[in-house]
Amino acid sequence: MIKRVLWQGLLAGTAGGVVMTLGEKIEQAITGRPDSHVPGRVLERLTGMPERPGKQPVAINWAMHFGQAAALGVLRSVMARAGLRGPVASAKFAVVRLTNDQILENATGVGAPPTTWPRKELVVDLVHKAVYAFVTGAVADALAAGDGPGPGQRHAAVRPGRHPDVGPPPRNG
């Protein structure tokens, strides 16, 4: 199961990262917003690489951008396997994605808390991260569905909701 969750999560996260990036490029073409070099700066700080002022090399920027997207996709795959699927699960995952970004950016000193950002910039980031989360979730959910319902879904099939008199279904195998 671990191998399956891993490859499915990497695939789902990468798909989410690609769609998010395409959306960002379209938005930038319309708004004129420049590329962000925050991912590259975070990677430099995390790895101890020499820091470069100004624009970061595309390879470093994209390594962090897509690496983070793929790695977090594994968590969304775990959610889907457990039976946490659909738009509500993807909304929860969007919060995780945003939290991950903010922890890394703020812990490295590269970013500032979102409460200090200009509102327009904050909205743009929220929209792009939501796109990532929902695309990643749709792919992870579709891949997990191929193996049937997750444990949580099987439990809910016994009697929906939380009830003290309904225990978990028997283990498989």
Side-chain angles (χ1 to χ4, degrees), residues 15-43:
V18 167
V19 173
M20 176 180 69
T21 302
L22 291 172
E24 287 170 337
K25 295 304 176 191
I26 292 167
E27 172 263 320
Q28 289 174 309
I30 294 167
T31 65
R33 185 177 64 85
D35 286 338
S36 170
H37 297 280
V38 169
R41 288 189 180 98
V42 169
L43 185 57

Side-chain angles (χ1 to χ4, degrees), residues 32-33 58 75 99 110:
R33 185 177 64 85
V58 172
L75 176 60
T99 302
V110 171

